[in-house]
Amino acid sequence: MVNVVKGRTDHVVVVGAGLSGLSAALHLRGAGHEVTVLERQPHPGGLAGRLDVDGHRIDTGPTVLTMPELLEDAFAAVGSKLEDHLELLPLHPAYRASFADGTALDVHTDADRMEQAVRDFAGDREAQGYRDLRAWLTKLYEVERDRFIGASFDSPLDLAGPDLVRLTRLGGFGSLDKAVGRFLRDERLRRVFTFQALYAGVAPKDALAAYAVIAYMDTVAGVWFPRGGMRAVPQALADAAADAGVRFHHGVEVTELERTGARVSAVRAGTRFPCDAVVLATGPAQSSRLLRGRPRRIRPLRWSPSAVVVHLSARAVADDLAHHTISFGGSWNGTFDEIIKRGRLMSDPSLLLTTPTLTDPALAPDGRHLQYLLAPCPNLDTAPLRWDRLASRYAEELVDEMVARKLLVDAEPLAVVTPDDWARDGQAAGTPFSAAHTFAQTGPFRPGNLPFRDGNVVLAGSGTTPGVGIPPVLISGRLAAERLRR
């Protein structure tokens, strides 16, 4: 049993209407709390932001949606149903992987289709390796789901138990790259099942094998897209919360927590909002500011790489694109070294091209397609580059590279998002991927969601337990609500 906030928690103020804050609000309201949500943007979403340009409905945040059952849980907390608020469309294939040697592979979540695709791509031996890998990924997820991903921690001792033994036997504390390499010899296939480590902020050769669960989520459990764009997800959650009696205040900037010791009695955002407890769903930088820099860590946090995103309008798209197309460069380990260790832009980039209008044409004007081109890059701590001077030229280079790879045709930039933009949005080191999932920043070693044992402040979001990505931040909201059990 984890520690819970002592004393009254009848009225909770949630700071931030991102996915974690909305999840917390729904679970709190479902448990009978009075809930007020304060959000500085004029709409819900947080990092799952929105931008409208010339009739294009741009999503400025995450584009890959997995594990929709976590959304179902959030809606169900207030007696609502996902299908009453949101239409989710399954993506087939989940991805298309394009390689520097000219080959390509559709990544299917259906086991039989994917086995045959791998057989056609790399032969019988790799097809059996895929089957064995899929079984291992499933076991790994089953072990981690409730005890490691879906739980709060008060101490490293909370890990102890039979599930820790099972995870160790599965090789969860070894290298991700080596673990996948036990099943697949083809380097191209290994990339398909390890590139997700970048979301965790580490190179596949340095990542814990436990983070293969991210590959489980999109290559086994499946990838979805909401009609209306990713912005439809936070809007649907907010609508369900409002219907259940949660009060929202948009366009308000929280400036101070009125504290006596570790306990907060009110939140100031122009107006004073008295409360019995607070959920800070604001990200590590803002949370640290509001908590006046406490609590402190012995070792400072190491931040994940950042990303440049070029939002594009296209008159036509390449014939062999999927909704999500990953274009791998020839380099691999060297690419991670450049952006994580050496603070350099990728010399041989691997890029994600998302074309949401292949699934929902209404996101762009008639005769146009909307596309997002994402390039991982160093964060501002690793490389404080002058993005005000660099952004336009680098965006052109990325577009030219994808034109040369025959994956972009007749596309014009609508907007460019750089680490400077993430920093202006309050993200530490200019990265939307928060603290890297190194061993020292994983599980009980990650910043906990109860910063003061005797306080009434709880954290939610990618900077705390369990971590980065839509599924983890939705879980973090539920975990925050559980800390405020009445």
Side-chain angles (χ1 to χ4, degrees):
M1 177 72 72
V2 298
N3 292 322
V4 297
V5 168
K6 300 178 179 66
R8 291 185 59 179
T9 59
D10 294 10
H11 180 201
V12 182
V13 170
V14 177
V15 182
L19 295 177
S20 65
L22 293 168
S23 172
L26 286 162
H27 286 287
L28 286 165
R29 185 60 187 151
H33 299 264
E34 182 183 354
V35 182
T36 300
V37 178
L38 308 180
E39 169 58 46
R40 63 190 180 93
Q41 297 291 340
H43 48 72
L47 281 176
R50 59 179 74 174
L51 176 67
D52 295 332
V53 180
D54 297 335
H56 300 78
R57 294 167 56 83
I58 298 171
D59 292 316
T60 59
T63 60
V64 179
L65 175 62
T66 61
M67 311 303 289
E69 60 267 29
L70 296 173
L71 289 172
E72 292 174 351
D73 290 345
F75 285 111
V78 294
S80 191
K81 294 182 179 180
L82 182 150
E83 57 266 29
D84 292 338
H85 296 272
L86 197 61
E87 181 182 1
L88 296 184
L89 308 170
L91 298 184
H92 301 297
Y95 298 100
R96 178 163 294 152
S98 175
F99 300 95
D101 63 1
T103 58
L105 173 70
D106 282 348
V107 180
H108 301 286
T109 53
D110 176 79
D112 293 336
R113 289 187 70 187
M114 187 58 182
E115 180 181 357
Q116 187 58 50
V118 172
R119 180 173 287 109
D120 295 341
F121 182 77
D124 291 341
R125 194 269 168 207
E126 296 297 273
Q128 183 58 51
Y130 160 73
R131 276 288 189 178
D132 294 341
L133 173 63
R134 185 184 178 100
W136 177 74
L137 290 172
T138 302
K139 291 177 183 176
L140 197 69
Y141 175 72
E142 290 170 349
V143 169
E144 293 185 42
R145 178 185 57 207
D146 297 327
R147 192 67 199 87
F148 300 98
I149 301 174
S152 294
F153 296 98
D154 292 316
S155 162
L157 295 177
D158 292 341
L159 281 174
D163 286 334
L164 179 62
V165 176
R166 292 179 64 197
L167 182 59
T168 302
R169 287 175 177 171
L170 286 169
F173 295 102
S175 159
L176 172 62
D177 188 56
K178 290 180 179 178
V180 173
R182 294 201 308 267
F183 302 99
L184 300 172
R185 295 176 182 171
D186 190 297
E187 183 189 2
R188 298 166 301 174
L189 292 175
R190 290 166 69 169
R191 293 187 185 189
V192 168
F193 292 94
T194 61
F195 81 89
Q196 298 89 347
L198 185 64
Y199 300 147
V202 288
K205 63 184 176 63
D206 299 323
L208 292 175
Y211 284 110
V213 294
I214 308 176
Y216 168 87
M217 291 175 183
D218 53 22
T219 67
V220 177
V223 178
W224 305 75
F225 187 73
R227 189 176 299 281
M230 293 295 288
R231 66 174 70 185
V233 175
Q235 189 62 62
L237 293 171
D239 290 344
D243 290 346
V246 173
R247 294 189 295 273
F248 284 84
H249 296 267
H250 289 284
V252 296
E253 181 81 36
V254 173
T255 57
E256 183 185 359
L257 304 179
E258 287 188 14
R259 276 172 48 189
T260 302
R263 298 192 70 85
V264 174
S265 57
V267 176
R268 286 195 174 274
T271 303
R272 184 177 183 271
F273 295 89
C275 60
D276 299 312
V278 175
V279 174
L280 289 182
T282 52
Q286 299 99 310
S287 296
S288 179
R289 174 178 62 81
L290 291 171
L291 294 173
R292 301 170 195 163
R294 302 182 65 87
R296 296 184 175 91
R297 290 171 60 91
I298 296 174
R299 298 177 61 185
L301 287 172
R302 177 181 140 191
W303 304 104
S304 296
S306 186
V308 171
V309 184
V310 186
H311 299 284
L312 300 159
S313 176
R315 292 186 179 87
V317 297
D319 292 335
D320 55 351
L321 285 189
H323 184 111
H324 296 295
T325 301
I326 306 168
S327 176
F328 290 104
S331 178
W332 189 236
N333 288 330
T335 294
F336 288 97
D337 286 342
E338 284 176 330
I339 61 177
I340 295 175
K341 296 180 180 179
R342 299 166 66 188
R344 297 182 180 179
L345 298 177
M346 295 179 290
S347 57
D348 184 11
S350 291
L351 306 167
L352 172 64
L353 178 63
T354 297
T355 310
T357 43
L358 291 175
T359 304
D360 187 354
L363 298 175
D366 290 343
R368 309 292 297 197
H369 275 282
L370 179 60
Q371 297 185 295
Y372 313 139
L373 181 58
L374 184 148
C377 71
N379 64 44
L380 294 178
D381 281 0
T382 305
L385 301 173
R386 289 296 305 271
W387 285 106
D388 55 335
R389 300 176 182 176
L390 182 61
S392 296
R393 184 173 76 250
Y394 188 54
E396 290 177 8
E397 291 177 4
L398 293 173
V399 170
D400 289 345
E401 179 65 28
M402 292 297 275
V403 170
R405 296 180 186 184
K406 298 182 179 179
L407 292 173
L408 272 183
V409 292
D410 202 11
E412 304 169 358
L414 293 168
V416 180
V417 180
T418 74
D420 280 354
D421 296 299
W422 304 119
R424 278 190 288 270
D425 201 36
Q427 301 306 307
T431 173
F433 302 115
S434 196
H437 287 262
T438 61
F439 179 81
Q441 296 178 177
T442 291
F445 307 112
R446 199 166 181 81
N449 56 7
L450 189 62
F452 304 104
R453 186 173 290 262
D454 296 322
N456 62 346
V457 177
V458 185
L459 305 181
S462 58
T464 186
T465 305
V468 177
I470 291 179
V473 299
L474 290 171
I475 292 171
S476 80
R478 173 177 62 78
L479 296 177
E482 290 175 357
R483 290 283 197 181
L484 296 169
R485 219 169 11 241
R486 299 179 70 185

